[in-house]
Amino acid sequence: MPVHEYDAVIVGAGGAGLFAALELGRQRDLRVAVLSKLYPTRSHTGAAQGGIGAALGNEEEDHWEWHMFDTVKGGDYLVDQDAAEILAREAIETIYDLEHYGLPFDRTPDGRIAQRRFGGHTHHFGQGPVRRACHAADRTGHMILQTLYQQCLRNNVHFFNEFQVVDLLLEDGVAAGVVAWEILTGELHVFHSRAVMFATGGWGRIFKVSSNAHTLTGDGAAICWRRGIPLEDMEFYQFHPTGIYRLGILMSEAARGEGAILRNRYGERFMERYSPNLLDLAPRDIIARAMITEIREGRGIDGKDYLHLDFTHLPRQVLDEKLPEITSFARTYLGVDPATQPVPVQPTAHYAMGGIPTDVWGRVIRDEHNTPVPGLYAAGECACVSVHGANRLGTNSLVDILVFGRRAGRDMARYLKEAERVLVAHNPDSDAREELERLRNSSGGEKVGAIREELAACMMEWCGIFRNGADLQRMLDKLGELRDRYARITLDDRGWKFNQDLLEAWELGCLLDVAEATVRSALNRTESRGAHMREDYPKRDDAHWLKHTLLYRDGRFAYKPVTITRFQPQERKY
Amino acid sequence: MKVHVRIKRFNPEKDRRPYWADYEVPTDPFDRVLDVLHYIKWNLDGTLALRRSCAHGICGSDAMLINGRNRLACKVLVKDLGDRITVEPLRGLPVIKDLVVDMEPFFAKYRQVMPWLVNDEPPPARERLQSPEERARIDDTTKCILCAVCTTACPIFWGNGEFLGPAALVAAHRFIFDSRDRAAAERLAILAERSGAFKCRTVFNCTDACPQGIEITKAIQELKRAIVLSRA
């Protein structure tokens, strides 16, 4: 069993992980390793399209207080406002940092970073749309990922590519390292480190129609949950309004930021009825619900389960220069030219607002009293700070990974100045080894792919955009059945080298865990707020539910108050 | 429609040499080749190994040789290939298992060209200014997703593993022509070496193959010109 010694180990090489690694790598005297199940430039940050929200005011007047307000209101007042203030304030300096690292932002005629409109981002506390999203065409995430990876290479960060982390080492409640499986050889490695950070992204693959990569299976959240860390606000899952019909591939909100319009079978701009003020730039939860309502009432295209995203009134130049990627997606996957034909779209599972609970320095907390787990960090989609509350605004996922990835890196550097090396128990890899052997040798005839498909189809049906108690209970029962079948899987591949059959089986275990946390939390919260819409409890209920859910793996719930500083909860209208 | 799929298989733990395996797969014309491979992997033979992640041409994981051309499996549709599909691993990199090749030699070349912005002058409090025209100069080469389609389509690279290859040259271009960068001279010196830009014989395979539509050959000629001008 190979053993490695590092000061910090970062799991995941998207924006949050790489920014933290870069902050540590720049210290020069720290040994930093990034472990990724992929090659770092394959991480899903690279799929982010539209932009990064920051009140630079390059195009028109803007203030971080407006950005903070939009974030709080967008999250239906479940956002922790101390965290939202940090997000909105530090977004600005973080953008400048990234620019100095080389990110090729689009530019205004006077050479500043160009900005555009995005859903839910407003001036004067909700008066109307504002140009806040800093962008590089519709490839903003790609540019972030490339820039941070490049600077990590320059700054002495060690990469372990295609290393799947399968366990977290905690000794007396202190982070001590991780166990990782080298996919190429099938060997287990132990990484000893005084600080461990999870930046493993989301779990959109629990749903059938999803914008997420196949590899987004909730690994980091599941690993922490199994080691006794609660998961926060798991009931809040965002569906992005405009996924390409059936494929789920994202058509960026930047499309509507640049003027595209959603239409039903009668060609009607239906958002006029749901959000008279912001129209097609209302927050995502509101538009996704409006779309499902249109479809349920028979106004989907040809009466089917999709609608049209209409670009045909926009100049071709806007498509070619500002939205080249999504224009190419429509052409490649649908054979549709958006300049002349509308694009069929439906809501697609997109983003987990909940996750591993942390404080504003990315430190993982273990309970409702905010007790930190020394040396353990999380940031990005796998974490819950919480800056997104019940519904994330467009662009704020990139702001989150950058601001809190950077902060986690800085705090780890501080922590490592004091922290002592933690001794690890004998055979730290034994649990992981046992689990992988069990999966490899199990022989009940069940297939991983079939279980995963059924999980995703049922989650879409019973735990999707509209929910109710009966469906959620049905889903919980279904999860029990799927777990039984998971215990009886048979793999085709019994080898060790690049055994993706085994990898997918292990990932399915994570999917089942995060799906269960999602369903249990959704069943438990008897109100509707943001992306969590209960048909049997259609109203927001601040008296009982203005609080964060913490769910432990043993089924125990705890609750954390929402931090409210500047903005008292109000009715949420757009 | 049913398609006939041939895949070049190799399992290092079992096979002494690669062999062809044949599969019949029910498909929709708008299915991606990746969907076809997933069908095989999830229904017919779980031992099939291939890399993939985003499934829409952004992450660059699933480059492979499809009907004789380097492509991303998630970016080519069944309807554009007909009812016979042949899939092989990329050429010029060692095969690990089935469609998975060793990417380390590829990334090693990328790292050789200093693929990061160098500017150690103290930055301003806000952004460094860059005009839209200066930004446009590097627009094409910033699109690279490091999928290795170009480098493994290059006959010079097949014949000479020392050649930096198109992808590394694209990365160098992206920084050399960035108005904010200060290390062009160092990079041009690296590219001027024997394994560098002048190894390119303008075959255009890279440009033809690039899933991002980058004009790679043109970029490489701009690098050659810059090297020559830097010596003048």
Side-chain angles (χ1 to χ4, degrees):
Chain A
M1 175 190 73
V3 176
H4 309 262
E5 290 276 349
Y6 281 90
D7 293 307
V9 161
I10 291 163
V11 187
L18 292 180
F19 216 141
L22 178 54
E23 287 292 332
L24 291 165
R26 282 159 53 91
Q27 304 285 320
R28 295 289 160 202
D29 56 339
L30 293 175
R31 279 173 53 80
V32 189
V34 173
L35 279 57
S36 170
K37 71 198 283 191
L38 306 166
Y39 272 79
T41 57
R42 316 296 186 217
S43 306
H44 209 55
T45 292
Q49 296 168 355
I52 318 164
L56 308 185
N58 282 358
E59 307 259 7
E60 57 190 328
E61 184 186 356
D62 199 5
H63 302 282
W64 67 261
E65 291 91 339
W66 297 349
H67 185 185
M68 176 187 169
F69 171 77
D70 293 337
T71 301
V72 170
K73 183 180 174 189
D76 217 346
Y77 296 90
L78 195 72
V79 172
D80 284 324
Q81 296 188 15
D82 55 338
E85 178 165 340
I86 288 168
L87 178 96
R89 274 175 182 265
E90 292 189 12
I92 298 165
E93 61 186 72
T94 308
I95 289 280
Y96 293 140
D97 250 18
L98 270 180
E99 196 283 329
H100 299 153
Y101 283 133
L103 196 142
F105 286 107
D106 290 343
R107 299 290 170 154
T108 62
D110 61 350
R112 301 208 167 272
I113 294 168
Q115 299 185 274
R116 66 174 152 217
R117 293 174 172 179
F118 237 81
H121 289 277
T122 70
H123 60 84
H124 297 94
F125 308 104
Q127 292 288 300
V130 69
R131 293 177 198 279
R132 184 178 292 149
C134 309
H135 55 88
D138 50 359
R139 303 189 183 95
T140 312
H142 164 77
M143 302 302 187
I144 292 172
L145 193 59
Q146 299 284 327
T147 301
L148 290 174
Y149 178 59
Q150 291 157 352
Q151 291 297 328
C152 282
L153 290 177
R154 191 188 185 195
N155 284 284
N156 209 24
V157 174
H158 297 229
F159 284 96
F160 290 83
N161 303 325
E162 297 184 325
F163 272 62
Q164 173 72 50
V165 169
V166 288
D167 204 358
L168 162 67
L169 302 179
L170 289 176
E171 294 296 333
D172 297 326
V174 178
V178 297
V179 179
W181 161 23
E182 185 179 7
I183 297 169
L184 175 65
T185 61
E187 222 172 357
L188 287 180
H189 295 239
V190 172
F191 288 78
H192 294 234
S193 62
R194 292 178 293 149
V196 172
M197 175 181 174
F198 281 91
T200 52
W203 41 89
R205 286 281 154 181
I206 60 174
F207 295 104
K208 185 178 173 190
V209 176
S210 172
S211 68
N212 283 201
H214 286 283
T215 44
L216 286 170
T217 48
D219 311 351
I223 289 169
C224 288
W225 208 36
R226 291 166 189 173
R227 287 293 173 201
I229 312 287
L231 294 178
E232 181 174 353
D233 291 344
M234 291 294 282
E235 60 271 41
F236 299 102
Y237 197 93
Q238 177 170 87
F239 283 73
H240 191 293
T242 53
I244 289 182
Y245 184 45
R246 285 196 293 234
L247 292 172
I249 297 169
L250 205 62
M251 298 299 274
S252 170
E253 196 163 295
R256 284 169 282 129
E258 298 289 353
I261 291 169
L262 282 161
R263 298 189 189 280
N264 62 20
R265 69 185 298 180
Y266 305 113
E268 184 196 6
R269 184 179 199 177
F270 58 86
M271 282 312 298
E272 284 171 350
R273 283 186 274 113
Y274 299 90
S275 175
N277 196 17
L278 291 185
L279 299 164
D280 298 273
L281 286 175
R284 291 173 179 173
D285 57 330
I286 291 171
I287 299 187
R289 274 195 294 276
M291 291 170 75
I292 298 298
T293 304
E294 289 295 297
I295 289 165
R296 283 184 174 183
E297 292 174 2
R299 291 190 294 276
I301 307 301
D302 298 333
K304 291 190 192 151
D305 57 342
Y306 67 95
L307 293 147
H308 274 152
L309 183 60
D310 183 7
F311 301 78
T312 55
H313 55 289
L314 298 180
R316 193 174 272 278
Q317 192 194 0
V318 169
L319 289 166
D320 290 345
E321 287 176 14
K322 303 232 168 128
L323 305 167
E325 286 290 340
I326 61 171
T327 303
S328 132
F329 295 155
R331 289 193 186 127
T332 304
Y333 297 111
L334 299 168
V336 164
D337 179 2
T340 57
Q341 288 167 277
V343 179
V345 291
Q346 72 184 144
T348 182
H350 188 54
Y351 187 88
M353 270 71 76
I356 305 163
T358 72
D359 67 11
V360 295
W361 287 103
R363 293 182 288 209
V364 173
I365 56 163
R366 61 162 67 254
D367 56 30
E368 66 272 34
H369 311 296
N370 291 318
T371 312
V373 181
L376 186 60
Y377 291 77
E381 189 174 342
C382 75
C384 180
V385 182
S386 141
V387 285
H388 308 307
N391 171 65
R392 174 173 73 72
L393 284 195
T395 82
N396 270 358
S397 61
L398 294 180
V399 187
D400 179 8
I401 60 175
L402 298 169
V403 167
F404 291 99
R406 192 173 84 138
R407 285 174 78 87
R410 290 182 177 184
D411 199 74
M412 267 189 279
R414 261 201 302 271
Y415 174 80
L416 288 168
K417 286 203 173 81
E418 314 267 309
E420 308 212 343
R421 189 173 178 279
V422 181
L423 284 179
V424 172
H426 284 300
N427 302 324
D429 61 335
S430 58
D431 288 354
R433 192 172 298 277
E434 198 176 304
E435 168 72 356
L436 290 172
E437 284 291 359
R438 189 189 68 71
L439 293 170
R440 204 167 72 100
N441 297 319
S442 151
S443 59
E446 290 286 349
K447 287 291 184 196
V448 169
I451 299 172
R452 189 179 50 213
E453 234 168 77
E454 196 167 331
L455 168 71
C458 294
M459 283 294 287
M460 198 83 190
E461 189 68 26
W462 296 328
C463 190
I465 293 172
F466 285 96
R467 299 163 169 178
N468 62 64
D471 282 352
L472 290 167
Q473 186 56 52
R474 205 167 289 146
M475 188 64 225
L476 205 52
D477 298 342
K478 172 59 76 176
L479 277 165
E481 177 209 316
L482 294 174
R483 277 192 191 283
D484 285 347
R485 288 168 56 192
Y486 182 59
R488 288 182 277 116
I489 56 165
T490 300
L491 301 185
D492 290 348
D493 196 339
R494 302 284 174 102
W496 283 116
K497 285 198 173 172
F498 230 93
N499 187 343
Q500 291 171 315
D501 211 19
L502 181 57
L503 178 58
E504 287 190 19
W506 185 84
E507 288 173 333
L508 175 58
C510 296
L511 287 171
L512 287 166
D513 275 2
V514 289
E516 183 181 323
T518 306
V519 176
R520 283 194 188 280
S521 303
L523 192 56
N524 184 56
R525 183 176 285 267
T526 49
E527 67 155 353
S528 291
R529 181 187 298 272
H532 175 64
M533 174 72 204
R534 285 281 301 253
E535 291 164 306
D536 43 355
Y537 299 93
K539 290 252 158 35
R540 193 175 89 189
D541 177 3
D542 285 346
H544 297 98
W545 287 106
L546 188 58
K547 59 188 180 187
H548 298 290
T549 307
L550 294 177
L551 173 62
Y552 293 85
R553 193 155 188 240
D554 60 13
R556 186 163 48 95
F557 282 102
Y559 301 96
K560 253 183 23 156
V562 176
T563 306
I564 294 170
T565 58
R566 287 169 185 254
F567 304 112
Q568 285 305 312
Q570 299 166 6
E571 197 193 348
R572 183 166 168 255
K573 272 196 197 153
Y574 287 94
Chain B
M1 69 192 260
K2 257 201 157 43
V3 295
H4 183 87
V5 186
R6 297 199 82 192
I7 303 177
K8 199 180 217 176
R9 303 286 310 265
F10 175 69
N11 181 342
E13 291 172 286
K14 280 190 184 157
D15 307 322
R16 294 175 63 184
R17 58 178 67 89
Y19 65 98
W20 290 100
D22 295 84
Y23 308 90
E24 298 287 328
V25 179
T27 64
D28 179 275
F30 276 87
D31 279 347
R32 298 159 278 199
V33 170
L34 179 62
D35 299 317
V36 173
L37 295 173
H38 271 154
Y39 182 89
I40 294 169
K41 184 172 174 57
W42 293 337
N43 298 287
L44 306 177
D45 185 353
T47 67
L48 179 66
L50 68 140
R51 291 195 180 98
R52 87 286 186 263
S53 189
C54 80
H56 63 285
I58 293 301
C59 77
S61 299
D62 61 351
M64 51 191 80
L65 197 59
I66 298 167
N67 284 10
R69 286 180 58 190
N70 272 5
R71 312 184 201 223
L72 301 179
C74 62
K75 222 175 170 178
V76 51
L77 305 186
V78 169
K79 72 179 174 61
D80 299 318
L81 295 174
D83 58 1
R84 298 187 76 81
I85 300 174
T86 308
V87 187
E88 304 164 60
L90 293 173
R91 290 185 186 142
L93 294 170
V95 175
I96 289 172
K97 184 177 179 180
D98 295 333
L99 302 169
V100 176
V101 296
D102 183 3
M103 295 295 289
E104 285 304 330
F106 173 81
F107 278 96
K109 291 181 190 306
Y110 173 72
R111 290 192 296 267
Q112 274 179 44
V113 301
M114 304 170 62
W116 45 74
L117 189 96
V118 177
N119 186 333
D120 296 327
E121 297 157 18
R126 301 188 53 168
E127 67 267 62
R128 290 195 166 101
L129 297 181
Q130 183 174 49
S131 72
E133 295 72 29
E134 288 167 333
R135 168 63 179 76
R137 186 76 187 81
I138 54 167
D139 191 58
D140 206 31
T141 43
T142 58
K143 291 184 214 158
C144 176
I145 57 173
L146 296 169
C147 65
V149 153
C150 58
T151 296
T152 58
C154 174
I156 313 294
F157 177 76
W158 297 336
N160 179 353
E162 296 289 297
F163 177 37
L164 283 172
L169 294 171
V170 163
H173 182 284
R174 177 253 171 277
F175 290 103
I176 287 169
F177 294 104
D178 189 324
S179 59
R180 302 167 297 170
D181 185 79
R182 299 289 176 265
E186 281 170 75
R187 281 193 209 90
L188 287 171
I190 296 166
L191 304 191
E193 287 171 19
R194 280 161 48 134
S195 56
F198 288 100
K199 274 271 177 293
C200 167
R201 293 288 188 272
T202 60
V203 179
F204 280 91
N205 275 13
C206 52
T207 306
D208 281 348
C210 177
Q212 290 290 84
I214 302 170
E215 294 184 290
I216 303 174
T217 313
K218 184 178 166 206
I220 298 174
Q221 304 328 299
E222 289 172 0
L223 290 170
K224 290 179 185 171
R225 186 198 305 261
I227 294 167
V228 172
L229 289 174
S230 71
R231 286 169 175 165

